[in-house]
Amino acid sequence: MKHAPLVQELIDAFTCLPGVGPRSAQRMAYWLLERNREGGNRLSEALSAAMEGVKHCEQCRNFAEETLCPVCLDTRRDQALVCIVESPADVLAIEMSGEFRGRYFVLMGHLSPIDGIGPRDIGLDALEQQVKNGSVQEIILATSTTVEGEATAHYIFDMTHGTSVSVSRIAQGVPMGGELEFVDGVTLAHALRGRQKVPHSS
Ligand SMILES: [Zn+2]
């Protein structure tokens, strides 16, 4: 049986979501059409509004609706202390710990040569600019403890060579291979407090 064109289009559109194959997509499309048109309309409006209105903060790359996000605009926070994380979910996890009063730089991923993801793809050229122009004085590397996360941390550390930027790496309490967003707030607070300064070998 062939679907009506609009139904087929809706099913196809749902398959853009992670982990959603044709069968789940069909189930979702049917469910909205049969049982929840109101929910479907709300979803459609929220999607359009978010796709149109959500941008990336020009300073930290986190999601923002203005040029700068609220954290980067907050003058009570130490804007020269920068915690580098892989995703907006990591920012949320660290904010929940209540331990951090600096700002963030959100990579939206990590270095992964196999997938063709290089430094520019995760904004490291922009970060280097911020390091070079003196707007960053201290960096806390809070990338995940996976191989890619470690490689990314190492790359950023190398970037600060020859500058006065001090660099530390959170480690304590974050399990090896761990994704930051799944670490609880108390552990994360400990990890931030117990961060280890990374010395430049001279
Ligand atoms: Zn920002």
Side-chain angles (χ1 to χ4, degrees):
M1 185 199 96
K2 270 180 88 168
H3 296 293
L6 287 176
V7 177
Q8 187 62 54
E9 174 55 27
L10 181 59
I11 294 169
D12 291 347
F14 271 122
T15 61
C16 78
L17 292 168
V20 175
R23 281 196 75 84
S24 324
Q26 179 179 306
R27 206 160 48 233
M28 289 189 230
Y30 280 8
W31 191 78
L32 289 177
L33 290 168
E34 285 170 16
R35 295 165 190 245
N36 198 349
R37 297 258 170 162
E38 198 183 316
N41 283 327
R42 190 174 161 205
L43 177 65
S44 147
E45 278 159 28
L47 265 177
S48 297
M51 294 307 118
E52 182 76 22
V54 179
K55 299 170 281 201
H56 291 280
C57 170
E58 278 187 6
Q59 181 167 252
C60 74
R61 288 167 50 94
N62 200 0
F63 295 133
E65 291 174 35
E66 309 293 337
T67 313
L68 292 175
C69 73
V71 172
C72 287
L73 282 172
D74 190 343
T75 51
R76 290 163 306 174
R77 301 184 73 125
D78 182 355
Q79 295 290 332
L81 168 61
V82 180
C83 183
I84 298 176
V85 295
E86 292 182 8
S87 75
D90 297 338
V91 171
L92 216 59
I94 293 175
E95 286 296 287
M96 297 278 277
S97 80
E99 188 69 20
F100 184 62
R101 297 304 299 162
R103 68 171 173 95
Y104 298 91
F105 190 88
V106 188
L107 302 169
M108 301 283 176
H110 46 228
L111 290 177
S112 181
I114 293 171
D115 305 309
I117 299 170
R120 287 183 73 88
D121 301 308
I122 55 172
L124 293 184
D125 48 338
L127 179 66
E128 187 160 24
Q129 204 64 37
Q130 293 176 25
V131 167
K132 294 237 161 89
N133 73 18
S135 58
V136 176
Q137 269 148 35
E138 186 180 349
I139 283 176
I140 299 172
L141 294 166
T143 51
S144 61
T145 52
T146 56
V147 175
E148 293 90 348
E150 291 292 350
T152 307
H154 205 270
Y155 186 96
I156 295 166
F157 175 62
D158 284 348
M159 183 193 282
T160 63
H161 197 79
T163 70
S164 60
V165 174
S166 100
V167 182
S168 54
R169 175 84 169 111
I170 64 157
Q172 209 176 56
V174 178
M176 285 307 289
E179 301 276 353
L180 213 61
E181 70 171 290
F182 301 117
V183 178
D184 70 275
V186 176
T187 309
L188 210 49
H190 275 293
L192 275 167
R193 249 179 270 135
R195 63 184 185 263
Q196 302 281 325
K197 193 161 184 216
V198 190
H200 274 291
S201 48
S202 50

